[in-house]
Amino acid sequence: SSQIINHDSYFTIDGERHDRCHTKHNSTYISSIISSTQQSPSRRGDVGNGWQAYTEADMGTGVTGFNGHWVVPSLPTPGSNNEVIYTFIALQNIDWVPPNDHPNGPFDIIQPVLQYGVQSGKGGGPYWGISSWYMTLSNDVIQSPLLRVEVGDSILGIMKKTASDTWFINSIDQNSNKNTSFSVKRSILSSQPWVYVTLEVYNIDNCVNEYPAKGTTIPYTDLALGVNGANSKLDFVIGTNGQKPAVCNSSISIDSET
């Protein structure tokens, strides 16, 4: 794992300086399928900004890990420089999702993320990449180096609690055997009870040019939750607090608990 040292306006990973990321972002969940089903005509009146489809569960203060697999979907064709797409598994300290008003209290999320778009964060472009994230609603944001991946690659996301207030977040491309990860220590990370699988987007207003092809699905499999160091049954429900209506008829379903 990497050593993270925070400074006022930047942080270092293993001695290498990185500017803080201010990109609006993101979060995800279970043997679920995130479907991008487009409607016709190609343009619709509302713009996609925030969580579009997700599952959630409150698994209590003893959560010590969450892992899952998913597959890189097709690329938007043709792409633009505007759209941002994130899909991921995640753990949060409270149940808050964008685009809702900011919560009154502290918020954080940890997540291994599959992301697309020029504005998706460090190194993003018109291609899929993976990166590990620690996010708050302040400027305390950490993004690991972006690793470009290919359509069809198998992604493994890992979140593991390694101390009372420390987590290891790892995003792995199992086809290339490459990964991007870090460890982060914060007092707020002592409890991450909320578990998610999510599709999150920004700047989506053209369902043909800014989304994968109609009918694309992203199955999440082998979802494994640890509670107090032991495997625990996931108790997901479909979340209802994301953007309404979801852009491009995006939806999620729960096919099983694994």
Side-chain angles (χ1 to χ4, degrees):
S1 63
S2 300
Q3 181 184 31
I4 309 293
I5 299 176
N6 279 285
H7 304 270
D8 288 342
S9 60
Y10 67 96
F11 63 95
T12 60
I13 301 178
D14 294 336
E16 181 181 353
R17 176 172 171 152
H18 297 266
D19 293 330
R20 293 194 182 278
C21 173
H22 298 283
T23 304
K24 185 184 278 189
H25 191 46
N26 100 344
S27 298
T28 91
Y29 229 80
I30 176 157
S31 251
S32 319
I33 298 178
I34 297 176
S35 302
S36 338
T37 54
Q38 284 88 334
Q39 63 184 81
S40 190
S42 63
R43 246 183 174 10
R44 53 181 293 160
D46 51 331
V47 176
N49 285 302
W51 286 26
Q52 304 301 313
Y54 69 99
T55 61
E56 66 176 5
D58 179 359
M59 299 305 297
T61 59
V63 172
T64 51
F66 184 37
N67 303 339
H69 288 86
W70 64 106
V71 176
V72 180
S74 61
L75 294 165
T77 306
S80 76
N81 290 327
N82 298 319
E83 72 266 43
V84 173
I85 303 172
Y86 301 107
T87 184
F88 50 91
I89 60 174
L91 296 172
Q92 295 185 178
N93 68 318
I94 61 173
D95 183 27
W96 174 81
V97 307
N100 294 296
D101 292 340
H102 286 187
N104 293 326
F107 165 84
D108 80 6
I109 181 172
I110 54 176
Q111 55 199 146
V113 177
L114 174 66
Q115 58 193 76
Y116 175 94
V118 174
Q119 302 178 57
S120 66
K122 176 169 38 189
Y127 45 78
W128 289 109
I130 54 174
S131 192
S132 298
W133 290 77
Y134 167 76
M135 290 282 305
T136 69
L137 296 177
S138 69
N139 67 347
D140 188 9
V141 175
I142 298 172
Q143 180 195 358
S144 70
L146 185 74
L147 176 64
R148 187 165 176 171
V149 298
E150 301 299 328
V151 171
D153 283 1
S154 176
I155 306 303
L156 170 61
I158 295 174
M159 291 168 282
K160 182 178 180 180
K161 195 173 189 179
T162 57
S164 62
D165 57 359
T166 304
W167 285 80
F168 174 64
I169 305 101
N170 195 7
S171 304
I172 305 166
D173 182 340
Q174 295 188 297
N175 292 72
S176 67
N177 292 318
K178 295 181 179 179
N179 74 294
T180 176
S181 66
F182 60 82
S183 290
V184 57
K185 176 183 173 69
R186 299 285 190 279
S187 59
I188 194 175
L189 287 170
S190 62
S191 176
Q192 299 287 105
W194 286 92
V195 187
Y196 302 90
V197 171
T198 304
L199 170 67
E200 179 181 20
V201 306
Y202 294 95
N203 306 324
I204 300 291
D205 65 356
N206 186 314
C207 297
V208 171
N209 293 343
E210 296 175 345
Y211 244 29
K214 181 177 181 178
T216 295
T217 62
I218 307 174
Y220 277 78
T221 60
D222 301 321
L223 295 173
L225 181 73
V227 176
N228 295 319
N231 290 336
S232 181
K233 178 183 176 181
L234 285 161
D235 214 1
F236 284 120
V237 297
I238 294 175
T240 59
N241 292 324
Q243 182 172 352
K244 298 183 184 72
V247 72
C248 304
N249 292 332
S250 300
S251 65
I252 190 167
S253 64
I254 301 171
D255 291 346
S256 74
E257 294 175 350
T258 57

